[in-house]
Amino acid sequence: MTKPINSMTGFGVGAAEAAGLAVRVELKCVNNRGLKISVRSRPSLGTSEKNLRDMITEHLVRGSIDVYVNFERLGEGVACPIRVDAAREAVASLRRLAAELDLDDTLSARDLALIPGVFEHTAEEPATAEEWRTVELALIEALRQVGDMRRHEGAKLAEILLGLAEPLDHFLAKANELAPCALDRSREKLRLRLEEICPAGFTAADHQALEREMCLIAEKADVREELDRLSSHLVQYRNAIAKGGEIGKKLEFLAQEFLREINTTASKTNDTEIVQEAVKAKLAVEKIKEQCANLV
């Protein structure tokens, strides 16, 4: 059964209102080697942050996830009781200092608000189980939107990755066609070089030496194994995309193997046409690696 291919890029927003609580959850996802979750919220989310992280982990297995949770208790006022004794002492101290320095002692409520210790800031109550369920509803919607976006972009990336395999097919076909001829060209180059060195002609011993040298060159230039492995890797590459699922790391590994076989083949054959096709294939592999880095 084919599974969807997911990109690591996604965005989603969910909102919910219940139990006297209005919640908005925003998720932003980009690529990352593993799973990294960063949560920003009011302190009163408290221990419910673990529940939030667990829910995200169940749905998203890879990527850098920024989570923004904003919630407001409906009808909630800002509780900042005034410490009356502290306020009186602060005003008296300021007026004594103003008289001593011959300064204007006019004070306003705004001035009082700037003095540390005058207002008593109370800590927020942690989210209750009922309030967490409202956060959960908003998070579920945000995750749904992220999932839809990641699947849509993953499908587009799969099409691109299949298209990028074509230059590798061309390289494989060209190498299979030209590699056997490369040995004959090497033999001819060596023969012409020896004729320059020995214009009087070859002896029987020279011919034997030439054949021994060509046997060594043939052994070193044999790229059948490399081409067979490259062909096998291309089959695995296409099968992985067809099967779907979490294939990002597997395709990255295969891309590295593509480069290995292409480089070895081009180096062994030392053929101009094969090298030209190798350059095109390697450019395609670099693009494959870039795209794979965005896949789950």
Side-chain angles (χ1 to χ4, degrees):
M1 181 179 177
T2 301
K3 298 179 182 178
I5 294 174
N6 292 315
S7 163
M8 280 188 276
T9 302
F11 178 81
V13 176
E17 186 175 316
L21 193 70
V23 181
R24 175 186 168 89
V25 176
E26 185 176 298
L27 299 178
K28 295 180 180 179
C29 312
V30 295
N31 61 312
N32 193 57
R33 295 298 300 177
L35 179 63
K36 177 184 176 183
I37 302 174
S38 175
V39 180
R40 296 183 186 179
S41 175
R42 283 170 59 167
S44 53
L45 185 60
T47 57
S48 295
E49 182 177 327
K50 181 183 183 302
N51 297 336
L52 182 142
R53 288 178 177 274
D54 289 343
M55 278 187 65
I56 293 173
T57 303
E58 288 177 8
H59 290 80
L60 307 176
V61 297
R62 192 178 174 197
S64 179
I65 320 295
D66 287 328
V67 188
Y68 303 90
V69 182
N70 182 33
F71 61 91
E72 176 183 358
R73 290 186 172 99
L74 302 178
E76 179 182 53
V78 179
C80 292
I82 299 176
R83 292 190 174 106
V84 178
D85 291 340
R88 286 173 177 163
E89 180 59 31
V91 170
S93 298
L94 286 172
R95 283 182 172 159
R96 286 195 299 270
L97 182 61
E100 182 181 337
L101 300 177
D102 194 21
L103 299 174
D104 182 5
D105 65 354
T106 302
L107 293 171
S108 67
R110 179 180 298 178
D111 298 325
L112 204 59
L114 297 176
I115 301 173
V118 170
F119 289 94
E120 181 179 352
H121 296 275
T122 57
E124 291 186 2
E125 290 294 326
T128 64
E130 189 175 7
E131 288 175 332
W132 160 247
R133 283 192 287 274
T134 307
V135 176
E136 187 178 31
L137 289 173
L139 178 59
I140 288 172
E141 173 59 21
L143 285 168
R144 185 193 65 77
Q145 294 180 18
V146 166
D148 289 346
M149 185 173 179
R150 283 161 68 114
R151 281 189 295 275
H152 177 75
E153 185 162 331
K156 294 293 183 183
L157 289 178
E159 294 177 11
I160 293 170
L161 288 166
L162 287 173
L164 288 171
E166 292 181 6
L168 279 70
D169 292 331
H170 294 322
F171 170 79
L172 185 61
K174 202 70 173 179
N176 276 316
E177 174 191 344
L178 297 177
C181 304
L183 182 60
D184 293 334
R185 286 192 290 273
S186 296
R187 180 193 296 273
E188 183 61 18
K189 286 180 182 179
L190 183 57
R191 187 187 64 79
L192 292 173
R193 180 59 179 154
L194 289 174
E195 285 181 353
E196 291 177 5
I197 298 172
C198 305
F202 296 161
T203 65
D206 291 333
H207 282 291
Q208 290 177 355
L210 176 60
E211 289 306 317
R212 284 196 300 271
E213 186 65 24
M214 290 312 302
C215 287
L216 291 173
I217 293 174
E219 185 178 349
K220 292 179 180 178
D222 183 14
V223 292
R224 176 50 48 198
E225 288 186 15
E226 286 77 7
L227 297 180
D228 286 345
R229 282 196 294 268
L230 179 57
S231 177
S232 174
H233 294 333
L234 281 167
V235 170
Q236 294 180 62
Y237 177 83
R238 288 189 166 97
N239 286 345
I241 294 174
K243 185 177 179 181
E246 298 170 22
I247 61 172
K249 291 182 178 180
K250 181 175 183 177
L251 295 188
E252 287 184 76
F253 170 77
L254 287 173
Q256 286 297 117
E257 293 304 300
F258 290 158
L259 280 180
R260 188 194 309 278
E261 308 306 344
I262 292 168
N263 283 329
T264 304
T265 300
S267 175
K268 279 187 171 184
T269 57
N270 194 26
D271 180 89
T272 303
E273 290 187 66
I274 292 178
V275 169
Q276 289 174 347
E277 289 298 325
V279 171
K280 298 175 187 177
K282 287 165 67 175
L283 288 173
V285 173
E286 289 301 325
K287 292 178 182 178
I288 288 173
K289 290 168 67 176
E290 290 175 6
Q291 297 296 350
C292 289
N294 291 316
L295 288 181
V296 174

